[in-house]
């Protein structure tokens, strides 16, 4: 009898050891696999089991959390959702996260270990601290001015503080309400399908994820390259440019939209946007120096993040002379995001120094203690300070007496450059209207804002589409919003 009891005890001990070994395998060895298993809803339930941290604009949260009392308890809410959608993105229980909601998901959801003073204890207890907050660099008045200026049109606006790189406005139109994607009901799937089938693509962030031919606004870069390379030394000296201009190695003649461009000095050519002058200047500067200047302004950079990724703006590095001529007036393969063109304007306004743009000032714990701040931003000299000074002069002439008069602001110095970009097969598409600018109040020590606006107005008559007519008034309202105390 005793032998049978001993055998039973050994068998039970073996069962206990096997149970412990299996528990160890499940809890330690296989824990990651079980955590990542789609059938395991514990992580999802925990993720939505507490309010999400907020995205903040000038001390005001533009996001929130609503208690649904359901299994996935807290659902994301948005204040003025369409206004800030290109910045916040969405946080959906079905479709995940985008933009700031994605880039700082760890802070907002409370999973970032920096939010807890005792991260090891949280690992043991499987608890998480309250979601932190993301404080943006946005100026709410500039954001609204850009949004209202684009009302009823497709397009985008980017505004930057030249001396720091802080993004003051980032707007894309048409927009959408990210709150419609927050929950997990059938309405969310219907809204997702509607947004994705909309030909106007309201979820496309045109300010940072769409590239356009920059048209004549790229002449700022070409003028900078010509001045830096010494091809132009006197702004008022004749440039020897024929009108029309025959593209090198071809029989194609490039013309201008107006008169008076033949042999025009750079000052006049810049003011009235003479294609022939700038196409010849690009060829005279040469591909190497044109590429170097474009890349110094940020073109061809593949790793720009603000903190979410920005589409690469491009200047082709393998051009023949005819293609270089067209690229130098912002056509052919030259492509730019509105943020990139705002960076060009900001560098000119900032004495030739280009600050890396950024959208997040700091992240904090729920109580307001700073977790991380933007800190000092990298800077590079895009062009010589003397070149930047002369370009500011040229851009100010455009607004004072040229094609950019609609951007003028009383009590401020404003510089700008208009652009009308052709696109499509045989340039058959409706042109894009561009305007890039900067502004400095009469009492300010330095320019306070640089702006880029692009408008896709397919309803306008082709002859009425100009950067000065459609885009410049929008830029003016954004600049006024920043300059007004």
């Amino acid at each position: 009898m005793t032998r049978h009891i001993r055998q039973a005890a050994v068998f039970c001990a073996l069962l206990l050891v096997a149970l412990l070994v299996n528990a160890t395998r499940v809890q330690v060895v296989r824990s990651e696999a079980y955590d990542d298993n789609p059938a395991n809803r514990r992580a999802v339930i925990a993720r939505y089991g507490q309010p999400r941290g907020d995205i903040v604009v000038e001390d005001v949260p533009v996001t929130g959390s609503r208690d649904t009392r359901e299994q996935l308890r807290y659902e994301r809410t948005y204040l003025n959702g369409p206004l800030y959608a290109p910045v916040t993105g969405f946080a959906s229980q079905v479709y995940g996260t985008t933009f700031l909601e994605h880039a700082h998901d760890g802070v907002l959801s409370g999973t970032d270990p920096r939010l807890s003073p005792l991260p090891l204890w949280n690992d043991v207890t499987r608890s998480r601290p309250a979601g932190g907050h993301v404080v943006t660099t946005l100026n709410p008045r500039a954001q609204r001015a850009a949004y209202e200026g684009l009302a009823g049109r497709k397009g985008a606006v980017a505004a930057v503080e030249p001396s720091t790189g802080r993004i003051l406005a980032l707007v894309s139109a048409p927009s959408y309400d990210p709150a419609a994607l927050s929950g997990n009901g059938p309405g969310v799937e219907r809204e997702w399908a509607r947004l994705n089938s909309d030909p106007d693509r309201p979820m496309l962030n045109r300010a940072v994820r769409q590239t356009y031919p920059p048209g004549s606004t790229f002449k700022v870069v070409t003028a900078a390259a010509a001045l830096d390379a010494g091809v132009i030394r006197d702004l008022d000296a004749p440039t020897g440019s024929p009108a029309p201009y025959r593209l090198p190695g071809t029989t194609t003649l490039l013309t201008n939209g107006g008169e008076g461009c033949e042999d025009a000095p750079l000052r006049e050519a810049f003011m009235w946007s003479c294609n022939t002058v700038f196409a010849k200047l690009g060829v005279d500067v040469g591909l190497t120096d044109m590429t170097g200047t474009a890349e110094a302004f940020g073109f061809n950079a593949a790793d720009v993040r603000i903190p979410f990724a920005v589409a690469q703006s491009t200047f082709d590095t393998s051009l023949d002379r005819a293609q270089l001529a067209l690229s130098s007036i912002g056509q052919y393969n030259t492509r730019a995001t509105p943020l990139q063109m705002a960076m060009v304007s900001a560098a000119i306004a900032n004495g030739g120094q280009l600050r890396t743009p950024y959208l997040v000032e700091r992240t904090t714990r729920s109580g307001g203690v700073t977790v991380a701040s933007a800190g000092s931003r990298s800077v590079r000299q895009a062009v010589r300070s003397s070149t930047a000074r002369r370009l500011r002069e040229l851009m100010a002439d455009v607004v004072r007496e040229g094609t950019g008069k609609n951007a003028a602001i009383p009590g401020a110095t404003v510089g700008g450059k208009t652009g009308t970009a052709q696109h499509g097969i045989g340039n058959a598409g409706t042109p894009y209207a561009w305007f890039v600018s900067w502004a400095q109040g009469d009492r300010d020590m330095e320019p306070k804002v640089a702006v880029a606006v692009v408008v896709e107005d397919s309803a306008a008559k082709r002859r009425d589409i100009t950067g000065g007519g459609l885009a410049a008034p929008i830029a003016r309202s954004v600049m006024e919003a920043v300059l007004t105390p």
Side-chain angles (χ1 to χ4, degrees), residues 121-199:
W121 176 251
N122 289 338
D123 288 343
V124 172
T125 62
R126 289 189 173 269
S127 63
R128 66 174 67 183
H133 304 312
V134 175
V135 181
T136 71
T137 59
L138 293 179
N139 179 314
R141 296 170 298 282
Q143 184 80 1
R144 183 163 291 280
Y147 182 76
E148 292 178 351
L150 283 172
R153 298 188 179 105
K154 284 192 288 187
V157 178
V160 177
E161 185 175 67
S163 62
T164 64
R166 298 170 68 246
I167 296 174
L168 304 178
L170 204 66
V171 169
S172 177
S175 189
Y176 71 103
D177 188 356
L181 302 175
S182 293
N184 54 30
V188 171
E189 294 184 6
R190 287 195 298 270
E191 184 66 8
W192 178 260
R194 185 191 70 80
L195 289 170
N196 280 284
S197 63
D198 190 328

Side-chain angles (χ1 to χ4, degrees), residues 5 35 54 57 139 195 209 237 283 298 309 385:
I5 294 175
D35 284 341
D54 288 323
V57 176
N139 179 314
L195 289 170
R209 293 286 177 84
V283 174
S385 58

Side-chain angles (χ1 to χ4, degrees), residues 82-450:
L83 173 63
Y84 292 109
V87 174
T88 63
F90 60 75
S92 171
Q93 293 178 350
V94 179
Y95 299 108
T97 55
T98 58
F99 301 129
L100 284 187
E101 294 277 28
H102 180 75
H104 284 290
D105 182 65
V107 170
L108 295 167
S109 65
T111 59
D112 191 315
R114 295 174 299 174
L115 295 177
S116 173
L118 299 170
L120 293 178
W121 176 251
N122 289 338
D123 288 343
V124 172
T125 62
R126 289 189 173 269
S127 63
R128 66 174 67 183
H133 304 312
V134 175
V135 181
T136 71
T137 59
L138 293 179
N139 179 314
R141 296 170 298 282
Q143 184 80 1
R144 183 163 291 280
Y147 182 76
E148 292 178 351
L150 283 172
R153 298 188 179 105
K154 284 192 288 187
V157 178
V160 177
E161 185 175 67
S163 62
T164 64
R166 298 170 68 246
I167 296 174
L168 304 178
L170 204 66
V171 169
S172 177
S175 189
Y176 71 103
D177 188 356
L181 302 175
S182 293
N184 54 30
V188 171
E189 294 184 6
R190 287 195 298 270
E191 184 66 8
W192 178 260
R194 185 191 70 80
L195 289 170
N196 280 284
S197 63
D198 190 328
D200 287 336
R201 303 174 70 190
M203 288 197 294
L204 172 64
N205 191 337
R206 290 173 164 84
V208 296
R209 293 286 177 84
Q210 176 74 12
T211 60
Y212 301 86
S216 292
T217 60
F218 190 79
K219 292 171 183 174
V220 176
V221 178
T222 303
L227 289 166
D228 256 9
V231 172
I232 295 291
R233 299 184 183 279
D234 184 348
L235 299 181
D236 298 299
T239 55
S241 304
Y245 172 64
R246 184 173 62 83
L247 297 179
T250 75
T251 58
T252 302
L253 296 177
L254 181 67
T255 60
N256 299 293
E259 302 294 327
C261 287
E262 184 174 0
D263 201 26
L266 183 60
R267 188 185 303 277
E268 295 297 319
F270 195 89
M271 189 183 306
W272 301 110
S273 204
C274 295
N275 289 333
T276 53
V277 173
F278 284 91
K280 182 177 181 297
L281 277 180
V283 174
D284 291 344
V285 170
L287 180 60
T288 298
D289 284 344
M290 278 298 300
T291 300
T293 300
E295 291 182 348
F297 278 112
F299 284 81
N300 297 338
D303 56 351
V304 179
R305 304 187 71 86
I306 60 170
F308 47 82
V310 177
Q312 183 179 16
S313 297
T314 56
F315 184 82
D316 201 329
T317 60
S318 58
L319 303 169
D320 63 29
R321 297 175 76 218
Q323 294 164 345
L324 177 58
L326 293 175
S327 296
S328 299
I329 60 172
Q331 298 289 166
Y332 191 60
N333 284 344
T334 306
R335 307 280 299 187
T337 63
L339 178 60
Q340 172 60 63
M341 294 312 298
M343 290 166 60
V344 170
S345 189
I348 299 305
N350 194 40
Q353 289 189 334
L354 179 64
R355 292 279 181 179
T356 303
Y358 66 101
L359 185 57
V360 174
E361 198 71 74
R362 63 186 182 277
T363 55
T364 73
R365 294 176 183 163
S366 59
V369 176
T370 297
V371 172
S373 61
S376 59
R377 310 299 293 178
S378 62
V379 61
R380 67 172 175 267
Q381 195 74 33
V383 293
R384 296 183 182 131
S385 58
S386 58
T387 294
R389 183 176 64 253
R390 290 198 279 181
L391 279 169
R392 285 199 302 272
E393 184 181 333
L394 294 179
M395 294 178 77
D397 288 344
V398 169
V399 174
R400 185 170 53 251
E401 50 186 306
T403 56
K405 291 181 179 179
N406 283 337
I409 300 173
T413 300
V414 179
K417 182 69 189 79
T418 57
T420 305
Q422 308 295 330
H423 68 100
I425 298 175
N427 291 334
T430 304
Y432 301 133
W434 275 93
F435 192 72
V436 299
S437 59
W438 52 265
Q440 177 177 348
D442 288 348
R443 296 183 180 181
D444 295 328
M445 298 297 292
E446 59 189 12
K448 293 296 184 183
V449 59

